[in-house]
Amino acid sequence: MKIGIFGGTFNPVHFGHLRAAEEVAQTFLNKVVFIPTNITSNKKMPEINPEKRMEMINIAIKNHKKFEASDIEIKRGGFSYSYDTIVQLEKIYPLDELYFIAGMDTYFDMRNWKNAGEIFDKINFIVVNRSNKKSDLKNLIKLIDFLPDKLKEGIRIDYAENRLITDKNRFIYFFKITRLDISSTDIRNNFKNNISNLFLLPNEVINYIINNKLY
Ligand code: ATP
Ligand code: MG
């Protein structure tokens, strides 16, 4: 099976995440596992506890055949490093192919992550564009700039499949999705300022946020 790993703070999950997962799943994957962080290492401490962020994901993906949520980062506790998660997932899914789904902003930052080089050796990537034009990629070569240095030399460019291939034969796809200019930050600000969030995230999630007075 081809399994997508979709990590994030999901504070809260929104249609930008859900549509990205849908389009990636449609083209590449048998399933997508949403994994909310326990504590996001490169952000200031999220205001909403991980169980509630997880609950919002569960509400949003309920009844979707290809979508699942995993609490492995929550159970592990502490700061959530994707490297640790990938090591754990390799044991859970020894026979499957794992793909890490990342928005362009995440990909740009990845070489600074814990064990970044090892992450790229272990798992394939599907990098998707985010909202602004800056994250549209004119040439795959640009993706190479943001790789950890040790990977740059052995990298090959596969224009036909729109992907890079590493010396360990892992793939880094660039995949263009419907651009939805939605972010959790904007949604949290809207809640704070009493501005409507209708059609930015599922109604059931909006209701959960209101009932639990989250933002
Ligand atoms: P925040 O504003 O709090 O950072 P966010 O909307 O960026 O929230 P995250 O939880 O940080 O959401 O993102 C999780 C993953 O989803 C990241 O890889 C990010 O790039 C991707 N992502 C978030 N929003 C979108 C979107 N609108 N379109 C495509 N990918 C997205
Ligand atoms: Mg973000």
Side-chain angles (χ1 to χ4, degrees):
M1 259 212 312
K2 294 184 174 183
I3 302 176
I5 309 302
F6 199 12
T9 315
F10 300 112
N11 185 29
V13 66
H14 53 65
F15 284 136
H17 302 126
L18 295 162
R19 184 66 204 174
E22 177 71 5
E23 293 189 20
V24 167
Q26 178 109 355
T27 302
F28 294 92
L29 305 169
N30 303 99
K31 81 174 170 188
V32 174
V33 185
F34 290 72
I35 307 183
T37 55
N38 186 58
I39 303 172
T40 311
S41 57
N42 54 357
K43 275 185 190 170
K44 64 176 172 37
M45 186 88 152
E47 326 144 68
I48 297 303
N49 73 43
E51 289 77 14
K52 293 210 170 81
R53 287 183 279 113
M54 175 82 175
E55 181 60 21
M56 291 190 278
I57 294 171
N58 279 325
I59 292 168
I61 68 174
K62 164 178 99 228
N63 299 330
H64 193 299
K65 285 198 199 73
K66 282 191 173 182
F67 290 179
E68 274 177 23
S70 163
D71 61 0
I72 66 170
E73 295 194 347
I74 300 175
K75 285 229 174 85
R76 209 166 62 231
F79 285 106
S80 302
Y81 295 106
S82 294
Y83 175 81
D84 300 337
T85 303
I86 290 162
V87 168
Q88 245 179 304
L89 290 172
E90 281 180 321
K91 291 185 186 131
I92 299 173
Y93 300 111
L95 301 175
D96 300 288
E97 254 177 86
L98 300 181
Y99 291 77
F100 195 99
I101 302 165
M104 212 39 157
D105 58 320
T106 299
Y107 178 77
F108 285 154
D109 185 45
M110 286 216 39
R111 60 185 160 166
N112 304 316
W113 288 13
K114 175 184 164 185
N115 298 354
E118 287 70 22
I119 294 180
F120 282 93
D121 286 346
K122 282 182 177 298
I123 191 170
N124 303 295
F125 274 80
I126 301 170
V127 182
V128 300
N129 53 299
R130 260 196 93 159
S131 54
N132 54 20
K133 290 239 162 61
K134 258 200 318 223
S135 91
D136 273 356
L137 199 75
K138 295 222 170 48
N139 196 315
L140 277 169
I141 291 172
K142 226 191 129 206
L143 277 188
I144 300 174
D145 293 346
F146 297 92
L147 282 172
D149 284 336
K150 72 157 197 163
L151 275 109
K152 286 182 180 164
E153 204 174 314
I155 210 82
R156 283 169 292 152
I157 306 176
D158 179 359
Y159 285 108
E161 299 289 339
N162 221 25
R163 66 189 179 185
L164 305 176
I165 307 174
T166 72
D167 56 359
K168 299 270 189 335
N169 276 319
R170 299 284 178 221
F171 303 129
I172 302 159
Y173 287 89
F174 179 73
F175 187 60
K176 215 168 163 196
I177 56 165
T178 304
R179 196 191 289 140
L180 293 175
D181 190 1
I182 303 174
S183 76
S184 302
T185 302
D186 289 346
I187 290 172
R188 292 193 302 273
N189 286 333
N190 288 344
F191 276 113
K192 277 185 199 118
N193 298 314
N194 269 316
I195 295 167
S196 164
N197 273 309
L198 205 56
F199 310 124
L200 295 177
L201 68 172
N203 285 336
E204 295 86 343
V205 178
I206 294 181
N207 291 337
Y208 179 90
I209 291 168
I210 293 170
N211 292 337
N212 290 277
K213 303 187 174 71
L214 295 195
Y215 303 111

